[in-house]
Amino acid sequence: MTMAPTYNKPARRIRFALIIPLLAAIAWGTYASAAAIVGDPVLGASDPILGSKHDFTGLNERAGVAAMSGVAFSDYGYSCVYCHIPPEEAGANPASFGGIDGWNRYVPTLSNYQLFDSPTLDYKTRAPNPISMLCLSCHDGTMAVDMVVFKPVTFDASQDASMHMRISPNDDAESCGKCHNGQVAHDITIKMLGTDLRNDHPISMRYAGFGFEDIDFRPPDTPEGFLNGVKLYDGNVECMTCHNVHDPSRPLLLRANAEVLCFTCHTK
Ligand code: HEC
Ligand code: HEC
Ligand code: HEC
Ligand code: HEC
Ligand code: HEC
């Protein structure tokens, strides 16, 4: 099975009516000081991510299939926790449990990755940065989508799914491809980037366009990126540079329309 050696909290049954004001209070208290981004279900109640492909609490219902319930992944009761640290763990450091710094997911096996390389690169990727590791932890197809470091305190362990599947087109009990083969349900193949990233756009390297450093790249409008929303992270290109999981308004969660996206940065 793909569930990790997890940090399991003893099942605690707390009525939701009681927990909401409590969590809100904790969240307000820790929000500003927390090192990690905390996905707070109260503050995020109208976040556009709800109802999108990354909303794992709404997925079964929306897909209209009872089939996925209990089989594909555990429904933790709120969507934020599949990526973010739950508010009640705001002070915790996922890295001490093998997690990605700042995120509620485990570090993928970095030595498996074959990274993009080419003789013309100004900057090379050495290893994915945490924010791209987050995406890869599901999209490389090696770990179950519900494999989180901290399960929310409200989750009843007896509701844990019997299987925990990965984004992989394989036809086995560990893979969403069991059903997502284009026949039972839509084909999931293209959603798995795998661990060979040589055919994908390079990530986690410094943007070569600062200060006209390389004339093949436009200088960014601000240190954080471009006015059309294309975003740099500490001056680097990451998965979230081109995509925004929090904004499903464009196809494939892109930050700019496909025709202009590449020319935001590349001059040719
Ligand atoms: C698929 C993963 C994923 C899920 C699910 C998710 N987020 Fe996020 N969230 C991110 C990423 C990645 C960022 C970083 C965005 C950035 O810094 O540009 C982020 C940023 C944030 C931020 C900080 C925004 C900022 O500008 O600093 C908040 C607050 C947040 N998310 C709340 C939530 C809430 C609330 C939910 C649930 C309703 C949620 N997120 C679900 C991935 C996710
Ligand atoms: C946020 C800016 C940005 C955007 C948007 C962007 N790129 Fe890039 N791209 C880069 C950077 C930076 C490099 C690496 C440059 C370097 O260090 O030499 C790169 C490298 C590449 C390379 C490899 C070039 C080589 O020297 O081997 C290709 C191919 C490429 N990009 C294609 C695209 C395509 C196609 C799109 C649109 C889907 C796109 N890029 C969008 C910034 C961007
Ligand atoms: C917890 C697991 C998980 C994480 C973490 C995750 N994704 Fe996904 N992502 C999925 C699933 C599941 C789908 C839907 C697959 C399908 O429709 O076949 C998806 C779909 C997508 C799609 C296609 C959307 C569409 O409309 O078809 C993009 C683009 C994407 N993710 C990018 C990202 C980026 C960027 C990150 C990191 C910020 C990320 N994902 C993090 C699970 C995840
Ligand atoms: C028992 C069969 C089965 C399994 C296992 C399964 N799915 Fe599905 N899923 C379906 C069916 C049927 C649909 C609806 C038809 C479609 O969208 O292709 C669906 C729909 C979806 C959708 C579209 C929902 C929407 O509203 O856009 C996503 C995303 C999805 N599944 C993700 C997954 C992921 C991720 C896994 C593995 C963790 C998984 N599924 C495992 C049967 C399954
Ligand atoms: C330079 C911009 C750029 C970067 C960086 C980038 N992507 Fe994409 N991504 C795209 C574009 C454009 C598409 C749609 C065209 C295509 O499939 O190539 C896409 C497609 C996707 C899809 C959906 C495939 C489909 O057709 O349904 C997923 C999933 C995805 N990207 C995830 C990621 C992840 C994870 C990362 C980081 C490892 C990443 N992307 C980095 C631009 C980017």
Side-chain angles (χ1 to χ4, degrees), residues 116-124 201-202 205-209 214 217 226 230-232 237 241-242 258 260-266:
F116 184 94
D117 200 0
S118 117
T120 51
L121 288 182
D122 293 310
Y123 294 99
K124 291 187 201 304
H201 196 279
M205 74 297 185
R206 186 179 145 85
Y207 180 57
D214 180 334
F217 293 93
F226 298 86
V230 169
K231 188 169 172 183
L232 298 171
V237 178
T241 293
C242 298
V260 302
L261 177 64
C262 312
F263 298 110
T264 302
C265 299
H266 293 264

Side-chain angles (χ1 to χ4, degrees), residues 31 37 40 44 49 79-80 83-84 103 231 233 240 245-246:
Y31 209 59
I37 302 176
D40 184 81
I49 206 165
S79 306
C80 322
C83 292
H84 292 285
W103 300 98
K231 188 169 172 183
Y233 292 85
M240 279 286 280
V245 295
H246 273 283

Side-chain angles (χ1 to χ4, degrees), residues 9-241:
K9 295 193 146 277
R12 266 180 268 173
R13 289 173 165 276
I14 302 175
R15 300 230 341 262
F16 212 58
L18 296 174
I19 199 86
I20 285 182
L22 179 69
L23 291 184
I26 297 172
W28 281 119
T30 47
Y31 209 59
S33 58
I37 302 176
V38 173
D40 184 81
V42 179
L43 300 176
S46 58
D47 197 290
I49 206 165
L50 299 177
S52 79
K53 297 270 163 104
H54 290 106
D55 177 1
F56 289 99
T57 56
L59 220 52
N60 290 320
E61 206 184 316
R62 255 193 357 269
V65 274
M68 284 203 287
S69 317
V71 179
F73 52 85
S74 287
D75 184 340
Y76 293 131
Y78 73 92
S79 306
C80 322
V81 79
Y82 293 90
C83 292
H84 292 285
I85 293 157
E88 67 272 14
E89 301 287 353
N93 178 11
S96 356
F97 303 95
I100 302 169
D101 193 14
W103 300 98
N104 200 25
R105 297 202 43 96
Y106 289 96
V107 176
T109 310
L110 302 175
S111 58
N112 281 349
Y113 291 133
Q114 291 181 276
L115 297 164
F116 184 94
D117 200 0
S118 117
T120 51
L121 288 182
D122 293 310
Y123 294 99
K124 291 187 201 304
T125 309
R126 308 251 173 256
N129 288 324
I131 191 165
S132 290
M133 274 188 217
L134 166 69
C135 315
L136 288 167
S137 75
C138 277
H139 285 280
D140 77 0
T142 66
M143 283 188 273
V145 299
D146 60 357
M147 197 166 125
V148 297
V149 180
F150 303 110
K151 291 173 184 163
V153 72
T154 44
F155 180 62
D156 174 359
S158 72
Q159 300 296 308
D160 205 12
S162 53
M163 289 188 221
H164 305 277
M165 292 178 160
R166 317 163 172 177
I167 300 184
S168 156
N170 293 349
D171 177 17
D172 60 48
E174 294 191 339
S175 304
C176 309
K178 186 84 200 153
C179 295
H180 284 279
N181 53 10
Q183 289 162 318
V184 181
H186 71 264
D187 190 345
I188 210 160
T189 307
I190 196 166
K191 306 291 156 77
M192 184 178 99
L193 274 60
T195 53
D196 184 350
L197 304 175
R198 289 174 300 181
N199 291 324
D200 301 303
H201 196 279
I203 47 150
S204 300
M205 74 297 185
R206 186 179 145 85
Y207 180 57
F210 285 107
F212 299 96
E213 197 177 304
D214 180 334
I215 52 149
D216 291 342
F217 293 93
R218 291 178 215 285
D221 298 315
T222 73
E224 283 75 44
F226 298 86
L227 296 178
N228 67 359
V230 169
K231 188 169 172 183
L232 298 171
Y233 292 85
D234 291 331
N236 293 323
V237 178
E238 307 288 353
C239 310
M240 279 286 280
T241 293

